[in-house]
Amino acid sequence: MIPLKLAQAGLRAAALPARRALEKACADPESAQDGLLRQVAPGMGYAAFRDRVPVADQGPLEARLALRRERSFDRAFLIWIDDVFRHADLHYGKAFFVDAPAGGIARRFADRFSIAPPGLARLESPENRLDAVCLHLLAHGEQLELVSLPDPAGLLSLLDRIAADRAKMARAWKSGVFRAEGREFPLPAPCEARLKALESGAPWGALWHNLALISCRTDAQAQAAAARLRELFPAAVVQRKGLSAVEAPVTVPLVDAGGCVPLLSEVFLEFEREDGRVLRAHELEPDGEYAVLVSQAGGLLRRRLGDRVRVGGRYRRAPRLAFAGRAGAAGERPQSAAAA
């Protein structure tokens, strides 16, 4: 096992180019986005791009976009987790990720810090996967410091699952192994105090007393669930999750920014007002609310995501953006509570 400090140093080195590019873009959003536009639509200025390329609401993604998308999600994750390690006082580095990238260097770092065992995603039964997740959260709870998932209700549902049959969870934990579908997942032996806390129904903070940060949606329909997590884990910071779509990552949270900033170094972004007027990142108005359009080199052109964002101040010269809901819908994107 690589020592935590060495892993952090490797993470910082891997994240540094992407972090520097984002900081530079936040200092001069217009120039950064002009540079991306030259990759998205070579030889075409913004006025021509806006006038000639129609906005698209849906459609298949080009296969050639896959590498660019993977790189963008990879860099967004590295920027975020490096920022967390820079600012949080972590001692173990153990984490539970629902939303880590599927591949790339970011996935390797996620696997280094994750409590989820190899092979968990290959369990066919959703019930077995959820039980395995619950048991690993319990068994690794002493060292668990970071939880990242899109929907805070997902973590609440896992807590409800544990609470619904504490005795069953305690027996499985004490056995030292979770068996399902011909697979075995070893579990660290419980200490007496934590096992007693589980069986007695003690506050969740007694089981995860080192939990320092929960990264999840806190806006729109997620507000109530995020507030409940703050009540259950008063010692942990509940951090607003950056906005991502299937097509591309849009924002990333930065501690120094006090919120989420757009990934101006990775994705060409436009913002559509209710009256149909389209603005660029450096043109956004305070407290304005906009639909998001994304473009990337390789063929993704002016895709309307269906997400709305609200401007909540600035970081350097870039707008801070908060998720304001789905356009024309009451809910958020559906998410699973099971780890990938």
Side-chain angles (χ1 to χ4, degrees):
M1 181 65 69
I2 302 173
L4 177 60
K5 293 296 183 183
L6 186 59
Q8 284 180 291
L11 172 62
R12 186 159 298 178
L16 187 59
R19 177 62 186 255
R20 282 179 172 170
L22 180 59
E23 292 285 355
K24 183 178 179 181
C26 287
D28 190 353
E30 185 176 8
S31 294
Q33 289 281 276
D34 284 343
L36 277 180
L37 182 60
R38 287 192 286 272
Q39 300 175 30
V40 170
M44 190 181 297
Y46 178 67
F49 178 73
R50 178 194 60 210
D51 295 340
R52 297 178 191 174
V53 180
V55 173
D57 285 306
Q58 57 186 357
L61 295 177
E62 296 284 345
R64 57 184 175 169
L65 274 170
L67 185 60
R68 180 75 190 206
R69 287 173 60 248
E70 179 179 307
R71 191 188 79 168
S72 294
F73 281 107
D74 208 53
R75 291 182 175 182
F77 183 85
L78 287 173
I79 290 169
W80 167 72
I81 196 171
D82 175 60
D83 193 64
V84 168
F85 274 94
R86 285 173 182 268
H87 291 90
D89 185 21
L90 304 183
H91 302 284
Y92 304 105
K94 289 299 181 182
F96 171 60
F97 299 110
V98 172
D99 50 358
I105 188 171
R107 183 72 207 196
R108 293 198 292 274
F109 278 107
D111 289 343
R112 159 62 181 84
F113 299 118
S114 177
I115 63 167
L120 178 61
R122 290 193 289 274
L123 290 174
E124 294 183 2
S125 164
E127 296 296 307
N128 287 336
R129 286 199 300 271
L130 289 170
D131 281 345
V133 167
C134 289
L135 284 167
H136 279 83
L137 284 171
L138 290 168
H140 295 276
E142 180 69 26
Q143 297 184 343
L144 184 66
E145 294 178 308
L146 170 64
V147 171
S148 176
L149 73 173
D151 187 351
L155 181 54
L156 292 176
S157 71
L158 291 173
L159 298 180
D160 288 343
R161 189 177 187 88
I162 294 170
D165 200 339
R166 292 174 182 268
K168 171 189 170 182
M169 291 291 171
R171 288 194 301 271
W173 189 5
K174 284 189 287 188
S175 75
V177 64
F178 174 68
R179 295 182 176 88
E181 301 175 22
R183 298 179 182 273
E184 292 189 352
F185 299 92
L187 301 169
C191 70
E192 192 63 31
R194 297 189 66 248
L195 190 60
K196 185 176 180 181
L198 170 63
E199 294 174 324
S200 66
W204 295 116
L207 282 162
W208 293 286
H209 60 271
N210 285 314
L211 184 58
L213 186 140
I214 303 171
S215 173
C216 62
R217 287 273 181 86
T218 63
D219 315 285
Q221 269 59 47
Q223 287 184 22
R228 181 61 178 149
L229 288 181
R230 292 188 180 98
E231 294 174 0
L232 295 176
F233 300 100
V237 173
V238 178
Q239 182 192 56
R240 177 179 293 161
K241 173 71 66 180
L243 175 62
S244 288
V246 172
E247 295 86 351
V250 178
T251 67
V252 63
L254 296 179
V255 172
D256 289 342
C260 296
V261 299
L263 280 162
L264 301 169
S265 53
E266 286 296 321
V267 185
F268 186 78
L269 295 168
E270 298 170 277
F271 301 87
E272 186 177 33
R273 300 195 319 193
E274 285 191 4
D275 62 8
R277 184 185 174 195
V278 176
L279 304 177
R280 297 177 62 187
H282 64 282
E283 300 173 321
L284 299 190
E285 300 154 353
D287 301 317
E289 193 169 304
Y290 307 90
V292 181
L293 313 179
V294 299
S295 300
Q296 276 198 308
L300 181 64
L301 299 176
R302 309 197 80 195
R303 177 70 62 89
R304 184 185 284 116
L305 299 183
D307 292 314
R308 294 179 291 110
V309 293
R310 183 178 298 111
V311 179
R314 291 194 172 271
Y315 173 64
R316 303 183 186 275
R317 294 173 61 191
R320 285 202 314 265
L321 301 176
F323 177 69
R326 294 284 290 166
E332 297 192 30
R333 297 176 180 275
Q335 301 289 349
S336 168

